[in-house]
Amino acid sequence: MDFYGKFAEKGSFNKIAAVCSMALCFALMASGCGQQKENVTTMTIDAEGKVSYVIYEDFSEDYYDAAELSDMAEKEIAEYNSEYISEKVALLGAEVIENEDQSRVKLEMTFDSCQDFSNFNQEFLFYGTIKEAKEQGYKISTGLVDAKGEKLPDSYLEDNEDRHIVITDDRSRIKAPYSIEYMSNGTTLNGKKEADISAVTADTVQLLLSK
């Protein structure tokens, strides 16, 4: 469940439609609904596994203004952080972006780790080496392909256990810390390190990185 979904479930955002599936958001973008390319929910993972998350979603100021939205988010974040000695989640900003006939909300958040992202959003996210993924019981697909559609070599996983992998059931756009070499079918690369995963039909998305 995503950030908005959590609030909607609790009634906090009962006047804002719970966020539609990421797949639908990307599908609308691809069909030319007037949404700007940069106004897409995006997850950025750095080399240390910290996560920056920029959320865009339709918004109606008839029900909430940006200050109320920020207060709600801060309250939920404070509740999460209270379980830890140090801050794990932070809200960097909340604003409403006005276009001709549409209002969108933009939330910028940071997470100390992929585990914190998973816990807070109730959506799965793993980043680590292939070896770490195996040790934690994750099954890495042997059907991953490169940008040309060529399948993962049979010995790749054994020969490259120090390479990193991203595994997630979230459908946000992903910016990885290293180049993406192999990926789940349906992934579209936007440059070497950025992936649009909205068309992936598998339950989880896997991205094998270059280092």
Side-chain angles (χ1 to χ4, degrees), residues 57-92:
E57 185 51 49
D58 293 341
F59 181 75
S60 174
E61 286 186 283
D62 292 338
Y63 303 115
Y64 293 103
D65 60 24
E68 289 174 307
L69 178 67
S70 180
D71 288 344
M72 291 178 197
E74 290 283 14
K75 182 178 180 180
E76 186 73 13
I77 290 169
E79 181 180 336
Y80 180 87
N81 285 333
S82 68
E83 301 295 324
Y84 302 92
I85 296 175
S86 59
E87 185 178 82
K88 299 295 184 179
V89 182
L91 178 68
L92 301 186

Side-chain angles (χ1 to χ4, degrees), residues 146-169:
D146 64 14
K148 297 179 180 179
E150 297 180 4
K151 288 187 177 181
L152 187 73
D154 292 338
S155 62
Y156 185 97
L157 298 179
E158 293 183 1
D159 295 342
N160 298 280
E161 286 195 325
D162 60 337
R163 300 284 180 92
H164 287 79
I165 184 170
V166 176
I167 307 173
T168 185
D169 60 6

Side-chain angles (χ1 to χ4, degrees), residues 5 26 51-52 98 100 104 208:
F26 281 112
V51 181
S52 298
E98 295 287 353
E100 292 181 359
R104 307 199 83 204
L208 280 174

Side-chain angles (χ1 to χ4, degrees), residues 26 40-43 166 171-176 178 180 182-184 186-200 205-207 209:
F26 281 112
V40 176
T41 298
T42 302
M43 173 200 308
V166 176
R171 285 300 186 271
S172 305
R173 179 176 293 177
I174 295 178
K175 292 183 178 180
Y178 309 115
I180 300 168
Y182 291 91
M183 65 208 83
S184 297
T187 301
T188 300
L189 294 183
N190 302 317
K192 294 181 179 180
K193 299 180 181 180
E194 184 176 320
D196 176 346
I197 58 177
S198 61
V200 175
V205 176
Q206 299 187 2
L207 305 175
L209 310 182

